[in-house]
Amino acid sequence: MLLLPIKSRSLVLTALFVPLLLLGLTPTDEKQAVGRLENVFEELLNRYVMEIDPEKLTTRTIDGMLNELDPYSEYILKSDQYQLDVLMKGQYGGVGIHLGRQKDSLVVIAAIAGSPAEKQGIRPGDIIIKIDSVWTKDLSYKEASKRVRGPQGQPVTLLIKRYGVNEALEFRLVRKIIRIEDITYSGMLEGDVGYVKLASFARFSGIHLEQEIRNLQRAGMTTFILDLRGNPGGLLNVALQISNLFLPQNEFVLETKGRLRTANKRYATTKPPVLPDTPMVVLIDQGSASASEIVAGILQDMDRAVILGTQSFGKGLVQTIYDIDDDASLKVTTAKYYLPSGRLIQKSGFGHGLTKTDSLAVDTLGFFTQNGRSMRGGGGISPDVDVAPILMDRYERQLWNKGFFFRYAVKYASEHPTITLPFYSKDETVESFRVWLELEKYHYSTDFIHWLNRAESLIDTTVAASDSLLELMSQVRRLAVMMEQQAFDANYDRIRLGIEQEVAAVVGGNSAQFAAGVSADLVLQEAIGLVTNPSRVSTILNNRAVAKSPKAD
């Protein structure tokens, strides 16, 4: 998401017609289209066989139109503006807990350091069974989160079930302003490498990143890694602010272009850099989008950093927010952004045939970095060094997705209250996890298992041959159990690492979890090896023979 906040007031129904105005219609075409839409809306409200809720019809009509344009234009009701407000303000009123849904329970994933929740002793793995007077069993995650949040100074009471404690625990917390966690880890790695994991581009992210860089400089940092993997983006001005930390003052870094003259802007760095020449690597992946791609693309075009990882997402569109009335806003795509070389990052395939010829389209060839390296536009940022992570197989992915590592870590930490970090899983711990999975009745879900379950359900036990069939299926079931044990054994080391990471998270939080996984992060290990080799960094940034070609959509 890449946002430019603007205020503009109009009537609620105006939102229905803004998309039409963006399609380049003539005044006559526009008037006819808007009139037809008004007439259909009125006829439906007056003549449909059952009474229609006009607000719901309006919302769904707007959503339908916007979905035909692109995935980013959005009609936002006031009740749904929380995430947008957090991004714009960089903070929210709450008690400082990250929530998740596991086995129909509302679970505390983590308590933010220094928050009301952390100070009063709420722990990862605690199950929230009641928020004030409302039981959470039938609450959606969204509704539960909304009830926990609230104005600073207002109390909220949580009734919690904790592993190993028979009675429910009641916590009365007073909400305070919680700063968004835009930096999930910052610290020194081996070889005097400074490292920062940036998770979002919220209001204060640039300030927070600058503070962390200065802390790393004082700690003796000689090289730097900025990790933008999985960062979906955020505010445009913050992306520019962060780029400025690494580039000289008064350098042209970005241009936005749209149909309206007000969307056409050129941006340059405004201050001296904080880290002007320290060898630097930026990590990206398919989850790096929008503002992340702006920073990575600018630093690539200016030959300031080596980009390492996998192809980024490919979102090069700018959204502007318009207030429709007191209860709703409209987030509309109003421009595309172009990097210093002139290339566009946006991948093709939006508009769905509704838009006229794109006057802002550019070629994908003929773009060059400051040092003359050839680049291609469209389809995202292509890394200078391609390094893909080890992908989880189906068995390990199911263990993570169903929360088994986390739940076991909560159990283990509760049973070992004197545990210290770093924590290393011994073989007996991994075997204990295997036994616990059986007690939790976990079964590896594969196409073969689905077929087996289906086949067993179709056996007619009243037929004479059913006993033979059931015996055959029993033998096949034993084969399935063997396959599950083999899958566990094949993932033994990965399971050991998963236990170590989640126990570290439960005991020490995000920083401890990150530290537990550094050695197994092959992309990060490759980045450390690269950034500590200045001659290799220089060779990459000055290699004119290398042309980066975004992959096809």
Side-chain angles (χ1 to χ4, degrees):
M1 182 163 53
L2 188 63
L3 299 177
L4 289 170
I6 288 182
K7 286 197 172 182
S8 172
R9 297 217 173 257
S10 186
L11 299 173
V12 175
L13 284 178
T14 302
L16 290 167
F17 312 130
V18 172
L20 300 175
L21 306 181
L22 298 175
L23 302 182
L25 299 174
T26 65
T28 301
D29 291 338
E30 176 187 317
K31 185 175 180 180
Q32 289 177 346
V34 170
R36 186 177 299 121
L37 193 56
E38 283 183 315
N39 291 338
V40 170
F41 192 81
E42 183 176 353
E43 293 298 324
L44 285 173
L45 292 179
N46 291 333
R47 300 181 185 278
Y48 191 69
V49 63
M50 293 176 286
E51 187 176 359
I52 296 175
D53 184 325
E55 285 296 329
K56 290 182 179 179
L57 180 61
T58 299
T59 298
R60 294 185 184 184
T61 302
I62 296 169
D63 289 344
M65 285 195 297
L66 296 178
N67 287 338
E68 291 297 314
L69 293 175
D70 63 62
Y72 314 111
S73 294
E74 184 180 4
Y75 179 60
I76 308 171
L77 296 174
K78 187 175 182 179
S79 58
D80 296 326
Q81 288 192 177
Y82 164 72
Q83 292 295 341
L84 190 58
D85 290 342
V86 170
L87 187 69
M88 304 295 289
K89 297 175 182 177
Q91 58 189 28
Y92 63 95
V95 298
I97 52 178
H98 295 303
L99 299 175
R101 273 281 181 192
Q102 294 185 1
K103 293 187 69 175
D104 297 325
S105 296
L106 185 68
V107 179
V108 175
I109 304 300
I112 297 173
S115 68
E118 191 263 349
K119 287 181 177 180
Q120 291 211 30
I122 290 180
R123 304 175 186 174
D126 284 348
I127 297 174
I128 300 176
I129 57 178
K130 197 175 183 181
I131 303 172
D132 288 327
S133 60
V134 180
W135 298 97
T136 63
K137 183 178 180 180
D138 297 322
L139 284 182
S140 67
Y141 168 81
K142 183 177 180 181
E143 180 61 29
S145 298
K146 189 183 298 184
R147 288 183 177 277
V148 173
R149 299 190 303 265
Q152 179 182 13
Q154 293 293 315
V156 60
T157 300
L158 304 180
L159 190 65
I160 282 176
K161 181 180 178 182
R162 177 170 293 168
Y163 181 86
V165 179
N166 292 330
E167 296 181 356
L169 306 174
E170 185 174 281
F171 293 84
R172 187 179 185 276
L173 308 173
V174 178
R175 298 180 179 97
K176 63 176 286 189
I177 295 300
I178 305 296
R179 192 190 83 180
I180 187 172
E181 290 187 297
D182 41 24
I183 293 177
T184 55
Y185 185 84
S186 174
M188 296 292 291
L189 307 180
E190 58 185 279
D192 295 329
V193 177
Y195 172 91
V196 174
K197 170 70 173 177
L198 186 66
S200 67
F201 287 78
R203 180 178 178 182
F204 300 113
S205 299
I207 296 172
H208 297 157
L209 179 58
E210 179 176 348
Q211 291 171 345
E212 294 300 334
I213 289 174
R214 293 190 185 279
N215 290 339
L216 293 170
Q217 287 175 316
R218 286 191 286 270
M221 173 179 68
T222 58
T223 58
F224 181 60
I225 296 173
L226 177 62
D227 194 343
L228 299 178
R229 290 177 294 177
N231 186 325
L235 302 178
L236 171 60
N237 64 307
V238 175
L240 297 171
Q241 184 181 1
I242 287 174
S243 300
N244 198 160
L245 297 175
F246 312 106
L247 296 170
Q249 190 172 6
N250 298 322
E251 289 276 3
F252 164 68
V253 290
L254 192 76
E255 184 173 18
T256 61
K257 298 179 182 178
R259 283 182 52 240
L260 304 180
R261 184 178 300 176
T262 54
N264 301 331
K265 298 180 181 179
R266 289 173 61 87
Y267 298 90
T269 52
T270 58
K271 299 189 297 186
V274 174
L275 207 65
D277 49 25
T278 299
M280 181 177 173
V281 170
V282 176
L283 305 184
I284 62 171
D285 63 10
Q286 190 176 9
S288 306
S290 191
S292 289
E293 294 174 293
I294 286 180
V295 171
I298 289 173
L299 297 180
Q300 187 177 54
D301 274 10
M302 304 302 288
D303 295 301
R304 174 61 188 89
V306 174
I307 312 302
L308 184 146
T310 57
Q311 190 83 12
S312 67
F313 183 79
K315 192 226 177 220
L317 303 175
V318 181
Q319 281 73 50
T320 304
I321 301 171
Y322 298 91
D323 288 341
I324 300 301
D325 59 17
D326 291 337
D327 296 318
S329 300
L330 190 66
K331 179 157 65 80
V332 184
T333 297
T334 53
K336 301 177 181 179
Y337 66 75
Y338 299 81
L339 296 173
S341 63
R343 59 183 169 136
L344 175 69
I345 292 172
Q346 176 62 37
K347 58 186 175 183
S348 60
F350 68 98
H352 302 290
L354 295 179
T355 57
K356 295 188 176 182
T357 302
D358 188 357
S359 61
L360 303 174
V362 296
D363 294 332
T364 58
L365 299 173
F367 304 106
F368 299 93
T369 70
Q370 198 169 67
N371 289 343
R373 293 186 296 150
S374 178
M375 297 284 158
R376 294 188 64 176
I381 299 296
S382 212
D384 301 308
V385 179
D386 289 287
V387 181
I390 295 177
L391 298 178
M392 295 182 190
D393 74 0
R394 187 171 183 173
Y395 184 81
E396 182 189 2
R397 187 166 59 250
Q398 285 183 17
L399 293 179
W400 281 106
N401 290 347
K402 295 183 178 181
F404 284 109
F405 286 119
F406 177 77
R407 286 161 49 205
Y408 180 79
V410 170
K411 170 183 176 295
Y412 188 92
S414 297
E415 294 172 349
H416 299 79
T418 61
I419 190 172
T420 58
L421 299 177
F423 168 74
Y424 299 104
S425 298
K426 297 179 180 179
D427 285 348
E428 51 262 40
T429 305
V430 180
E431 290 302 324
S432 170
F433 180 69
R434 189 200 299 261
V435 173
W436 177 78
L437 286 177
E438 294 176 2
L439 294 175
E440 289 290 305
K441 302 187 184 315
Y442 167 67
H443 295 291
Y444 184 27
S445 179
T446 65
D447 293 338
F448 174 67
I449 296 298
H450 289 312
W451 170 86
L452 180 58
N453 292 337
R454 176 64 175 162
E456 287 180 338
S457 70
L458 294 176
I459 295 177
D460 186 350
T461 56
T462 63
V463 178
S466 62
D467 289 344
S468 299
L469 286 173
L470 289 173
E471 174 58 27
L472 176 62
M473 298 307 293
S474 177
Q475 293 179 21
V476 176
R477 177 69 67 182
R478 286 193 288 272
L479 175 61
V481 171
M482 290 177 57
M483 292 171 60
E484 184 168 340
Q485 294 299 323
Q486 290 172 353
F488 187 100
D489 293 338
N491 285 276
Y492 204 88
D493 289 337
R494 297 286 299 177
I495 289 171
R496 183 195 307 275
L497 177 63
I499 294 171
E500 290 174 353
Q501 286 182 294
E502 289 299 88
V503 169
V506 169
V507 175
N510 288 338
S511 294
Q513 182 184 41
F514 171 82
V518 167
S519 62
D521 188 339
L522 297 188
V523 176
L524 180 55
Q525 289 299 319
E526 180 67 25
I528 293 171
L530 171 60
V531 79
T532 53
N533 186 343
S535 62
R536 187 180 170 205
V537 170
S538 178
T539 298
I540 292 172
L541 296 179
N542 289 281
N543 185 5
R544 297 189 177 211
V546 177
K548 306 313 296 176
S549 304
K551 299 174 184 176
D553 294 337

